[in-house]
Amino acid sequence: MHVFGIVVWLGGLMFQSAVAAPIIQFEGELAKAAMRKVHKRFVAFVWMSAWTMLITGVLLMLLNPRFVWFRYQDRWSVLLASKQLIFVLMMFYAFGYARMLKYLETPSSNGGFNEKAELYRRRLDQFRKISIVLGIAALLLAAAMQVYG
């Protein structure tokens, strides 16, 4: 379940970056509005995946006999600490991702969408790419923990 949470999150982000975003980029405003709805719907999957990773990660950590609180004397412990740091960073960017989506949906004072929409779209793409890199790193750390565990 732990790896499944990472794969759902990472797969959704990669689909958006590699398939949906390049297609929508050259389409009209109707397609961009549809993409905003896809992003908004995906946020629910992000939080579902985050909770799945948090709960299963804590259980796996606490049930592992190699786990000792705040002791980093072997490779497994260092990998665990690195993976925990990556999880915190992923949560930071997930909150940023959700905030950027809210900014994209906020109407401006002139009745249209916010004038900064292009900036928010670029920031959303940036957060998505950073989250993909962090997700791949988390998968690699999980694999390395299996080797040393």
Side-chain angles (χ1 to χ4, degrees):
M1 286 299 293
H2 188 68
V3 174
F4 179 73
I6 295 170
V7 170
V8 166
W9 189 348
L10 191 57
L13 290 171
M14 291 177 98
F15 172 79
Q16 288 178 6
S17 289
V19 178
I23 292 171
I24 298 299
Q25 181 178 357
F26 299 107
E27 298 298 322
E29 198 56 39
L30 184 61
K32 288 181 182 177
M35 192 62 184
R36 280 193 296 272
K37 289 181 181 181
V38 169
H39 287 308
K40 186 177 179 181
R41 180 79 172 146
F42 180 65
V43 169
F45 283 96
V46 168
W47 297 128
M48 178 189 65
S49 296
W51 280 106
T52 300
M53 287 185 291
L54 178 66
I55 292 168
T56 58
V58 168
L59 287 172
L60 288 169
M61 177 181 72
L62 294 175
L63 295 175
N64 193 309
R66 298 183 78 179
F67 174 71
V68 180
W69 292 99
F70 304 110
R71 288 236 170 125
Y72 305 107
Q73 71 268 14
D74 60 357
R75 285 186 184 177
W76 186 88
S77 301
V78 172
L79 291 169
L80 176 63
S82 300
K83 195 168 168 218
Q84 290 168 341
L85 176 63
I86 285 177
F87 180 77
V88 169
L89 288 172
M90 288 175 77
M91 291 297 98
F92 173 78
Y93 285 106
F95 279 111
Y97 187 89
R99 283 187 61 203
M100 289 299 119
L101 286 176
K102 283 187 181 184
Y103 290 149
L104 278 173
E105 293 175 353
T106 304
S108 68
S109 58
N110 62 9
F113 280 100
N114 200 319
E115 298 86 18
K116 296 181 181 180
E118 190 56 39
L119 172 68
Y120 296 146
R121 270 191 220 102
R122 278 188 266 140
R123 186 61 50 96
L124 194 68
D125 290 341
Q126 183 184 30
F127 282 12
R128 189 181 319 116
K129 289 174 185 173
I130 291 170
S131 294
I132 288 170
V133 169
L134 291 172
I136 291 170
L139 281 173
L140 292 174
L141 287 170
M145 286 177 71
Q146 291 300 315
V147 170
Y148 293 107

